Amino acid sequence: MNFEILAPAGSMESLIAGVRSGANAVYLGGKLFNARRNAGNFNDDELYKAVVYCHQRGVKVYLALNILLSDNEFEDAYKLAEKALSFGVDAFIIQDIGVAKMIKEHFEQAKIHASTQMSIMTPRGVKAAEEMGFSRVVLPRELSLEEIRQIRRSSDIELELFVHGALCMSVSGQCYLSSMLGARSGNRGLCAQPCRLPFSPDNKQRFALSLKDMSIIKKIAELDGITSLKIEGRMKRPEYVSAAVTALKKAIDGTYGEKDEKLLRGVFSRSGFTDGYINGDLGRDMFGTRRKDDVISAANVLKELRHKYDKENPLLPLKLHFVCKENRPCTLTAEGLGKTATVSGDIPEKAVNRPMRKQELVQRLSKLGGTQFYPDRVTVELDDGLILPVSKINDMRRSAVEKITQIENKPIISKPFKAEKTVKKNKIPYLTASFKNADQVPDKHPFSRIFLPLDSAVEDFSAKNAGAAIPRGAFGMEEKLKKRLCELKNAGITKILCPDIGSYALAKEMGFDVYGDFGLNIFNSKSARLIKSPVLSFELTLEQANRINADDTGIIVYGRVPLMLARNCPVKNITSCNKCKKHGVLKDRMGYEFPVICSPYPCTEILNSVPIYMLDRVNEIKTDFIHFFFSTETKQEIENIIRLYENRKKPDFKYTRGLYNRGVI
């Protein structure tokens, strides 16, 4: 099995632990713009040293630029990318499609990997990423083995898969729980993990949003076509990184067993591990929390692991060829790291007593201890009767190793950066809306565009003059989506609201008039110009949204916005579908209730406890349109909300301004 082992590096200590344990690549973050801003991360000097250290050992370095950026952050991101490329960083991991476009436009040699935060879960999504210039896609953790195989058959692009580490309840990139509850956004790298706190559907002290850590290391033989096996954990200790890399190496060699898994559980777990998603076997067995026993177990195991990577591990082969001829300077040629280097020494002398022998020279040159190399093949050409001091031979060996590990700075081909122009809009926004069912739609309404769920009756689309909203989280459902879209197209439906780049590309390819939904996380002007009529991210402030320099953008001004997109229903696992009757609710420790909305597609949505409400402040909104996100409301309640909009009044129910005032950090 030929896999890349990709290790997390939240610090230089973790990076060294991963490399010395046998990682083929590491991923890390700078001090800015990465999804683990609370990790140690690397300043410019540390990043340069990290790249040099890794490249001297044949290990690649991927820099995470995997958060959403606002317009005024692009110049700093450009500078970081330029500097990282000059250091030799091998690729960037990116969430924001605008950032991806900026890097490809300005640095033609840059490789970009599509972060799992992009929520690419379908074959067409992977193809869309490839069309955008990505050379690799990091797949969601929620995919089953068969769904991964479907994606693999659809494209030759590199695929990266998490095989060990923490599991979020929500699909990556589609979680807004931390930002809405505490202004710390996962999409901006500062998730506070409120999902690990008590949430329950039955008024008991339960942790309905806390999953066990995943581990599918023992299943890697089934992962044909995966390029890179990724370990989660940039916030974890060096011992964790070393243990996980070692376990993966053993699995690739076919020697991974129960003892190794027990060691991994000891280093870190939440009530053990789960492999539920990869098996398509969801349910309550996937849930767990960090227990006292887990912590005690870790303390004992960590002591055992601390000295496993103290010293350099000779993981790289080095070929050496020594030539010693009469009346000529000796030469030593080294081959390793894909390079060849030759050093010259002194002219040998005639031996007075005992001349050098080939076997002794082979032994002397093979002494590579303390380096990252082991002698793969050592050959010697030696004339009879010659002698060279041992110290001179050692100097030549050291010089050859130094020369082979020298890092050459590659020239950066770049275009100068130009900042976005600011824009001021003074339009009166028009109105759009999405509904959960056709019965909610008022007979008379002010909306220029409305959307119903994709699985609504065909006659409802026609009767309401509505477009179709593709659901978020269509894992393994692309063929079903295509079939349904064909039915709607034949029925004369023309407008499609798309939550991800895969559905957007698919619907556009099929000839629909496409629109971008909030799941695309459009956070800046460059991203907004890549998507038609996008509903902007509700993690923007109102001022930021107003300044987006793109045609026909909008924001959500009313609605219980989804805080999570979950493939594993937190209500079903504790009660049952029969008791829930598709009206599930989660309650947090403060008593707030969060509706859980079912779908005929594989995911459920956990909605905010109160709706965003900006209808009394529409005069402050300068986007081209405003969007109403209706979910649990009755038709009568929706009619009342429309009247509130028309009168610009505050409501008589609890609401939030969301993040439009405070923003996210």
Side-chain angles (χ1 to χ4, degrees):
M1 292 181 287
N2 187 23
F3 294 112
E4 173 187 88
I5 298 176
L6 178 55
S11 65
M12 194 65 185
E13 292 78 11
S14 290
L15 181 145
I16 290 170
V19 171
R20 287 183 176 174
S21 299
N24 308 110
V26 299
Y27 65 103
L28 49 77
K31 291 296 184 181
L32 298 173
F33 311 138
N34 78 87
R36 291 293 182 269
R37 284 162 61 191
N38 284 331
N41 295 318
F42 295 75
N43 63 29
D44 289 349
D45 289 341
E46 292 164 341
L47 178 60
Y48 176 72
K49 290 174 183 176
V51 174
V52 169
Y53 181 88
C54 288
H55 284 185
Q56 286 178 336
R57 289 153 182 82
V59 174
K60 292 183 177 180
V61 179
Y62 306 141
L63 181 68
L65 280 173
N66 56 341
I67 66 169
L68 305 178
L69 295 192
S70 59
D71 283 343
N72 61 5
E73 293 174 316
F74 267 68
E75 187 168 4
D76 284 338
Y78 170 89
K79 291 176 181 176
L80 175 57
E82 185 176 44
K83 190 161 289 184
L85 286 170
S86 73
F87 294 164
V89 161
D90 296 281
F92 299 100
I93 307 168
I94 296 174
Q95 173 186 10
D96 191 314
I97 59 175
V99 175
K101 184 171 178 59
M102 181 270 285
I103 288 180
K104 293 303 290 184
E105 283 178 340
H106 290 85
F107 307 104
E108 65 179 49
Q109 77 272 44
K111 287 187 176 181
I112 55 175
H113 296 173
S115 169
T116 190
Q117 296 281 115
M118 283 186 70
S119 312
I120 298 172
M121 63 195 73
T122 62
R124 191 61 187 89
V126 169
K127 188 67 176 175
E130 193 173 3
E131 291 163 358
M132 289 180 176
F134 289 97
S135 60
R136 178 183 293 188
V137 171
V138 187
L139 296 173
R141 296 162 174 85
E142 293 81 7
L143 287 164
S144 71
L145 191 58
E146 179 52 35
E147 289 162 355
I148 292 169
R149 288 169 177 163
Q150 288 175 12
I151 288 172
R152 176 71 289 164
R153 289 192 292 266
S154 72
S155 172
D156 294 327
I157 196 172
E158 291 183 357
L159 298 178
E160 182 175 303
L161 184 69
F162 281 95
V163 295
H164 186 80
L167 269 182
C168 295
M169 183 66 182
S170 177
V171 175
S172 292
Q174 301 300 312
C175 185
Y176 311 95
L177 185 69
S178 180
S179 61
M180 291 297 285
L181 269 57
R184 294 181 61 183
S185 169
N187 284 321
R188 294 278 293 161
L190 283 174
C191 178
Q193 297 189 343
C195 53
R196 301 297 181 184
L197 297 172
F199 285 85
S200 177
D202 60 1
N203 295 315
K204 295 181 181 179
Q205 183 79 354
R206 299 185 189 272
F207 294 84
L209 299 179
S210 182
L211 294 172
K212 295 177 181 178
D213 282 22
M214 73 175 298
S215 190
I216 58 171
I217 291 176
K218 59 188 175 185
K219 292 184 176 292
I220 64 169
E222 302 175 59
L223 301 180
D224 293 339
I226 296 296
T227 303
S228 182
L229 306 177
K230 188 170 193 172
I231 300 163
E232 183 277 337
R234 280 196 287 143
M235 302 285 286
K236 300 280 196 344
R237 303 171 61 106
E239 295 91 340
Y240 165 93
V241 177
S242 175
V245 171
T246 301
L248 266 179
K249 281 183 69 67
K250 285 189 171 185
I252 291 170
D253 294 340
T255 60
Y256 180 76
E258 183 59 37
K259 183 179 178 182
D260 303 299
E261 185 167 324
K262 185 177 179 181
L263 179 69
L264 276 182
R265 281 199 302 269
V267 175
F268 191 93
S269 79
R270 291 181 172 89
S271 314
F273 296 139
T274 178
D275 57 6
Y277 283 133
I278 200 78
N279 294 328
D281 184 18
L282 312 184
R284 67 181 63 185
D285 287 345
M286 289 187 66
F287 289 75
T289 58
R290 187 86 168 135
R291 305 168 305 184
K292 184 178 180 181
D293 289 349
D294 298 323
V295 178
I296 293 171
S297 173
N300 296 328
V301 174
L302 290 173
K303 290 178 185 177
E304 180 185 337
L305 291 170
R306 261 174 206 136
H307 301 295
K308 294 277 187 183
Y309 49 86
D310 277 352
K311 296 179 180 179
E312 190 75 65
N313 197 350
L315 296 169
L316 298 175
L318 188 70
K319 291 182 173 66
L320 293 168
H321 182 62
F322 184 75
V323 178
C324 185
K325 299 286 186 180
E326 189 174 354
N327 298 323
R328 286 164 49 187
C330 295
T331 61
L332 178 62
T333 300
E335 291 182 46
L337 291 172
K339 296 184 289 185
T340 300
T342 299
V343 295
S344 295
D346 290 353
I347 297 173
E349 298 177 357
K350 284 284 187 181
V352 176
N353 296 312
R354 185 170 176 272
M356 293 187 297
R357 292 182 173 87
K358 282 187 178 182
Q359 190 57 39
E360 292 172 345
L361 284 169
V362 169
Q363 291 176 353
R364 173 64 54 189
L365 293 168
S366 297
K367 291 182 178 180
L368 297 169
T371 75
Q372 60 270 47
F373 297 104
Y374 64 85
D376 182 33
R377 188 178 74 219
V378 180
T379 54
V380 172
E381 291 182 45
L382 176 64
D383 284 352
D384 293 336
L386 299 178
I387 189 73
L388 191 70
V390 168
S391 62
K392 298 293 184 180
I393 297 170
N394 291 343
D395 287 344
M396 290 179 71
R397 185 191 65 231
R398 282 191 289 267
S399 295
V401 169
E402 287 176 7
K403 203 166 183 180
I404 209 80
T405 55
Q406 282 179 352
I407 303 299
E408 298 177 5
N409 291 329
K410 296 179 180 178
I412 302 303
I413 304 170
S414 63
K415 295 179 181 177
F417 179 83
K418 290 184 179 179
E420 284 285 344
K421 293 181 180 179
T422 58
V423 62
K424 288 187 178 181
K425 297 180 180 180
N426 294 301
K427 299 177 181 179
I428 299 173
Y430 66 91
L431 281 62
T432 65
S434 57
F435 298 83
K436 284 299 178 187
N437 62 71
D439 293 337
Q440 292 175 307
V441 182
D443 299 327
K444 292 183 179 180
H445 61 74
F447 304 118
S448 299
R449 288 192 301 269
I450 70 169
F451 296 94
L452 295 174
L454 188 70
D455 62 321
S456 302
V458 172
E459 54 268 25
D460 286 335
F461 288 106
S462 300
K464 305 297 183 181
N465 191 27
I470 292 179
R472 296 189 300 152
F475 291 94
M477 306 296 284
E478 188 162 272
E479 290 306 313
K480 182 179 177 180
L481 281 178
K482 285 182 184 177
K483 184 178 179 181
R484 181 58 173 164
L485 288 172
C486 283
E487 292 173 355
L488 296 182
K489 188 173 183 181
N490 291 335
I493 311 306
T494 60
K495 296 181 176 63
I496 303 292
L497 186 62
C498 305
D500 59 80
I501 64 167
S503 63
Y504 187 89
L506 177 63
K508 187 175 181 181
E509 197 171 70
M510 294 178 70
F512 286 97
D513 195 3
V514 292
Y515 300 85
D517 207 354
F518 67 87
L520 283 157
N521 288 322
I522 302 301
F523 205 79
N524 52 65
S525 299
K526 194 171 284 290
S527 296
R529 289 197 290 271
L530 296 174
I531 301 295
K532 181 183 175 184
S533 304
V535 177
L536 301 173
S537 168
F538 50 79
E539 292 187 296
L540 288 165
T541 64
L542 183 57
E543 181 182 1
Q544 287 173 321
N546 283 341
R547 290 182 175 274
I548 294 293
N549 186 4
D551 292 334
D552 204 33
T553 62
I555 62 169
I556 293 175
V557 292
Y558 173 83
R560 287 178 182 262
V561 292
L563 303 185
M564 275 191 172
L565 177 71
R567 190 160 192 185
N568 212 335
C569 178
V571 176
K572 177 183 177 181
N573 291 323
I574 293 174
T575 58
S576 69
C577 291
N578 289 333
K579 289 183 180 179
C580 168
K581 300 187 186 300
K582 297 190 176 181
H583 295 287
V585 172
L586 285 180
K587 189 178 289 187
D588 70 4
R589 69 194 195 285
M590 308 297 291
Y592 291 105
E593 294 186 345
F594 300 82
V596 179
I597 303 297
C598 295
S599 166
Y601 290 85
C603 290
T604 59
E605 291 181 307
I606 300 164
L607 306 184
N608 201 8
S609 58
V610 294
I612 286 176
Y613 188 91
M614 295 291 288
L615 305 183
D616 58 324
R617 294 176 57 184
V618 172
N619 63 318
E620 301 173 40
I621 299 171
K622 306 303 178 186
T623 55
D624 300 277
F625 65 92
I626 55 177
H627 188 70
F628 293 67
F629 181 85
F630 296 119
S631 54
T632 60
E633 297 84 358
T634 64
K635 182 176 181 179
Q636 185 177 355
E637 288 171 335
I638 290 173
E639 289 172 341
N640 180 52
I641 289 162
I642 292 171
R643 284 192 293 271
L644 288 170
Y645 159 74
E646 291 169 344
N647 295 315
R648 306 295 197 268
K649 286 187 176 182
K650 289 186 177 180
D652 57 1
F653 50 79
K654 290 183 179 180
Y655 65 93
T656 177
R657 300 297 191 186
L659 298 161
Y660 292 136
N661 290 339
R662 55 184 172 148
V664 291
I665 56 175

